[in-house]
Amino acid sequence: MVALLAAGGFAVAGCSAPGPAEVTFYADGHTINTTPVLSCDYSQKLAQPCSAKGDTQTLKVRPGKPVQISVPGEVADAPWQIVYEYVTPQGEFKQSEPIPFTSLDRYAYTVTPPTPADRISAVDVQKYTAVLNAETGESGLLPSDVWGLRLEA
């Protein structure tokens, strides 16, 4: 009887909906898997189509060290981009230009600080979705999910 209940539990667990896509960050010898911190649904007319989903994760990284990013197929099969922030040796925060990926087959990217003395302080991965404005007939790309990572010294 216990074996049947256990088997039934596994069957039910196997039928549950998959969780949100996870993006993996690797920096300075540490790895972390993250779920979206922001998700947007443009399929309905909502006053606020985006909602916060969780806390931004944190890793430690020394100056000059890169951050490697690995995205699942769900992200790689859509247009996506990376934006990062870094700190100069003088303590000045600067933001990168967006780094877009539209080839629909890019699963990884390594963010390298502009100089060996700079330290990456934040990385955002942004997945985009095509949205059609029913009133104007215009279409465009809008962010649908955002994964965030903050890096500390």
Side-chain angles (χ1 to χ4, degrees):
M1 182 70 157
V2 173
L4 286 175
L5 289 175
F10 287 123
V12 171
C15 293
S16 64
E22 291 187 344
V23 168
T24 302
F25 294 95
Y26 174 82
D28 209 0
H30 304 281
T31 301
I32 193 164
N33 294 329
T34 64
T35 56
V37 294
L38 183 72
S39 289
C40 304
D41 180 3
Y42 304 103
S43 64
Q44 302 173 15
K45 287 188 176 185
L46 301 172
Q48 297 291 329
C50 301
S51 61
K53 294 294 181 188
D55 295 329
T56 301
Q57 300 292 319
T58 304
L59 283 178
K60 291 188 180 243
V61 67
R62 293 173 288 167
K65 296 296 183 183
V67 176
Q68 297 172 332
I69 302 159
S70 178
V71 301
E74 177 182 325
V75 176
D77 291 343
W80 62 287
Q81 72 178 16
I82 294 171
V83 178
Y84 69 94
E85 185 178 86
Y86 63 96
V87 183
T88 66
Q90 296 77 27
E92 184 179 4
F93 285 86
K94 295 189 176 189
Q95 186 172 336
S96 72
E97 291 294 321
I99 304 165
F101 304 101
T102 57
S103 65
L104 307 183
D105 65 353
R106 184 76 185 249
Y107 289 84
Y109 185 77
T110 300
V111 175
T112 304
T115 74
D118 295 328
R119 183 183 59 80
I120 297 171
S121 59
V123 179
D124 283 346
V125 173
Q126 305 164 348
K127 176 185 165 190
Y128 282 78
T129 189
V131 177
L132 175 65
N133 184 328
E135 296 172 9
T136 65
E138 295 179 358
S139 63
L141 292 175
L142 293 174
S144 59
D145 292 294
V146 177
W147 294 260
L149 177 68
R150 301 301 163 248
L151 297 121
E152 302 173 341

